[in-house]
Amino acid sequence: PRSRAATMGGDFRGGKRHRREDGSHMRVFKPTVGGTGPMAGSRELEEMREAIIHCDGSPEMMKHLSGLLAQDLPALNEPACRFVLECVQNLPVKTPVYATLVAMLNHGCGEFVEEVVRATCELLETLLASASLDDRIRARLLLRFVAVWPIVGIVSESAAVDILDAVVCAALDAAEKGEPGWQPRADYLAYIALAALPWAGGTLQKAKEFDRMMDSIEDYLRKRRQGPDPAAMLFAPPAGSAADTVDDWLEECWGRVNEVRKAGAQDEASWTVKSIPPVTDIVTGDEFEYAGHKHTPPPLKVVEMTFSGAAEALAAYPVRPRLRILPQEQTEGLWDAGDWGPLERFVAEEYIADTLWAFEPGFRRDTTIPAADQMGTLPLPADHPERCQFLVAETLFGEMLALPRPAHEAVFYHIVIQDLCKAIPSFPKMMAKVVGQMFRQIGRMEFEARERLADWMAHHLSCFDLAWPWQSWVHVADQASNHPQRTFCSSVVRRLCRLSYYDRVKESLPDELHCLMPNTPALNPDYILETLNGSSGALRDLQAFMKEKKPAPEVMEWLKTSGKLDALGRAGAAKVLTVAALQHGQKCITHHNVLLKRYEGALTELTQETSELEGCADVMVAAAAGIWAGTHPHMAVTAVSRLLELGLAKPADVARWLESSISDETAAGTDDDGASRGVAWGTADAWDIACLAVETVAADRENREWKASAARRKVEAAEAQAARATADADRAASQGRHVDAGRAKEAAGRIEGKIARLRAELDDASLPVEHAGAQLADAAGALCLALVKSLAPKLADAAADAAGPTPAEVGADAAPERRDARALAMCVAALRRFRSYVGAEYEGKVREALGGATAEVATALGEAMSGRVGFSGAAMIE
């Protein structure tokens, strides 16, 4: 209903367009011709689907829609059931509405309701057997739908609790068996059962099996390990927290539900959540009759899932994103009588996450409705609009900063926040307060979350004329260059220089903050001078060859005949040639490409691996990064990306470069501000290059998987077409229409030939997917292993400090961040980010490489790779 838009600061869209986009207007399909008989045409079915989608829950529409549906049931049970389940999964805010609609058909169309119950349980079983993001969310939404059934009389309370209990028992069984990587999925199963209770807890509590189910959840919580993934915490524990403090998302969820359960034992109204409209408010009186019988759902079977290790399990079932940075009274109140209860915030977070998923733009659901428009009409309580906006802002940032990676592309969250700022006049102020609070606590914020927040802020400012209240942050000018707050501000400014003109960014900053501006974009003179001095004059000669556009064979011949190749060696010659090519092509990325392609043959001959010589393509990576290091906001990363794109370097070469640069710190500069002659681990360029090397291969695998999936869909469509043709032939033959039967058989034969060709294409498309998966595991595993081997001996002090209590000062008065602490944080982020790619083999190699490290280092890096559920540093050291 339109009145709900007030919860986010008022209805910012007007009239008819608003109602059409949020589905609150009435859209009904026409009754069948003459008022009787089943609808058969695709147009009529589409009208039925549209009517169910746009059902707004008003008594008039519910009565009218249920009456029209009843005319065409049970003849159209299957499509109607499919449409209802589609709406339940893609319009999660209206779960009670669709449960009520089904219940209103129970009296006259019991077979349809029976079909809905059966199909829901079967689909739920299928979805619970999958680990994909979409299927995990759909399973949670279907379980919520099941929980609402007893309220509207579709099934008994005991039957619904039995389904929830089957999910909880699957989690308990996994805990008792203790297979590798069992806990992340078991936590997910317990979570989706708990997450359904706010919608129906008051009704389900009447069943005698309810307490048994809650006892099972409590038993599971005792068996699991708390804080299963410490590396996924956005913030270190607050100052003064105990050394063993963990941030456990499932314990918080249980605490909220259990608090209401205790109160609900005395007063069922304690389960009331203002964001969930009661069914009695949707349809009341004679319009809703519980006259139909209650159905018995089939037993739910939750299949077991096995994982190669904890890293794979954590990647498939990450922890639930949460951000708690604002005081509780600003986002949900203190749970006082008459105010919001413990479940209000939980339900709001579910609504926000579900809306982001359901309305994410992309080819998966072909959605055309902006997610921000839907966010503005969520049915959040209207009694505290400021609190709602704080809660939405904090939840959006929590989803965007989720570790190891958000559910959707980061830019999607950027756009949602931007749209909300444009649409709701008061929202920017609330959003800025959340950002300000994170800035004040930046000293205990995780490294990758800081970088992602800086990415968002730069993009956001570039879309709002670079406007930001920088005056409140001018104190960072007096801080050390490696202070957490100043480092964050420098990172934001550096990213702004990628998105806008250098001079314009400088003009947008107060004079006091001009010190944050990076150097004027140019080549790194220190690195070029160092290369020149060590090239025996070859660099100047090669620079002259570049101007003359000499081809690669001539350059290679000159290196051999002049004696430069013997003097410099293969690696030295490759470095000098790379520097000369990039220096000559410094004008733009296109020039980089042209020069690298021109001398691709020479560079390949100098760096390729042979039976007698090792490959040395890592020197090209070092040269491409070093020639731009510290003097350009992004060209170091771009230059390396060109090498990878052209195939001159591989991810393994990036790993070798990282390992060598970490081992030889003098080669990458020694000052705390960053690299003076190259890229050092701990700098933003090194992080971006490491991510680029792996994510490039991951994108290639995803592209190949998409092609294979498209080929598979073509085969399935052709098989369905062949089945229909065969059925038509059999039906025509049985009716004596032999000519029609012959034609149908011929069509079926042609389709079979098409199927054979499509299956061959599918086989061809599937092979590269397997190869790409192996390449990705090698790329991610080699990089993680290189980081662990080279950094573990150097990070003992930083790991020991990180394992201790959080410093009392984490804001403006925080201590400057040491280089080894930043190197540790970056290594933890890399292991956590790539653990979903490495596979069990490399996960084991990383654990083995940590065998000689201190307990603190082994714990920090081991938990980043395998989580607390799959790694115990102390036990490993023993």
Side-chain angles (χ1 to χ4, degrees), residues 788-812:
V788 170
K789 286 182 176 179
S790 55
L791 285 172
K794 299 174 178 288
L795 300 178
D797 293 341
D801 292 343
T806 304
E809 298 294 341
V810 292

Side-chain angles (χ1 to χ4, degrees), residues 2 8 21 65 89 102 227 282 387 517 720 748 804:
R2 293 188 58 196
M8 282 290 290
E21 288 190 344
L65 178 57
Q89 296 171 78
V102 173
I282 299 176
R387 185 185 290 177
M517 292 294 295

Side-chain angles (χ1 to χ4, degrees), residues 323 325 356 372 389 392-402 406 408-422 427-439 442 445 447-470 473 488-499 687-688:
L323 177 63
I325 195 68
L356 290 173
Q389 293 182 43
V392 169
E394 192 175 63
T395 304
L396 283 173
F397 279 111
E399 292 284 335
M400 181 183 73
L401 301 177
H408 314 292
E409 292 294 330
V411 71
F412 171 56
Y413 301 97
H414 299 186
I415 293 170
V416 171
I417 294 174
Q418 290 167 17
D419 288 349
L420 288 176
C421 287
K422 294 174 185 176
F427 186 75
K429 179 181 177 182
M430 310 305 175
M431 176 273 295
K433 286 187 177 181
V434 177
V435 176
Q437 188 62 27
M438 286 191 283
F439 181 71
I442 204 77
M445 192 175 188
F447 162 79
E448 188 177 0
R450 285 191 214 175
E451 295 298 299
R452 210 179 293 164
L453 183 63
D455 268 333
W456 163 80
M457 189 168 175
H459 186 195
H460 188 82
L461 297 189
S462 71
C463 295
F464 288 90
D465 202 29
L466 304 183
W468 186 258
W470 288 108
W473 290 4
F488 173 76
C489 290
S490 298
S491 184
V492 173
V493 173
R494 180 172 174 268
R495 285 167 165 78
L496 273 175
C497 290
R498 300 177 186 173
L499 302 173
W687 167 253
D688 290 342

Side-chain angles (χ1 to χ4, degrees), residues 194 221 250-260 335 342:
L194 284 171
L221 293 175
L250 189 58
E251 288 283 353
E252 184 198 342
C253 179
W254 162 256
R256 291 175 181 272
V257 173
N258 198 39
E259 185 77 18
V260 177
W335 305 350

Side-chain angles (χ1 to χ4, degrees), residues 255-256 259 328 332-343 345:
R256 291 175 181 272
E259 185 77 18
Q328 182 178 339
E332 58 176 319
L334 300 176
W335 305 350
D336 297 328
D339 200 0
W340 291 12
L343 295 179
R345 174 175 186 136

Side-chain angles (χ1 to χ4, degrees), residues 657-665 681 786-787 790-791 794:
W657 162 68
L658 285 174
E659 191 170 3
S660 62
S661 65
I662 292 169
S663 302
D664 184 11
E665 293 182 355
W681 183 254
L787 290 177
S790 55
L791 285 172
K794 299 174 178 288

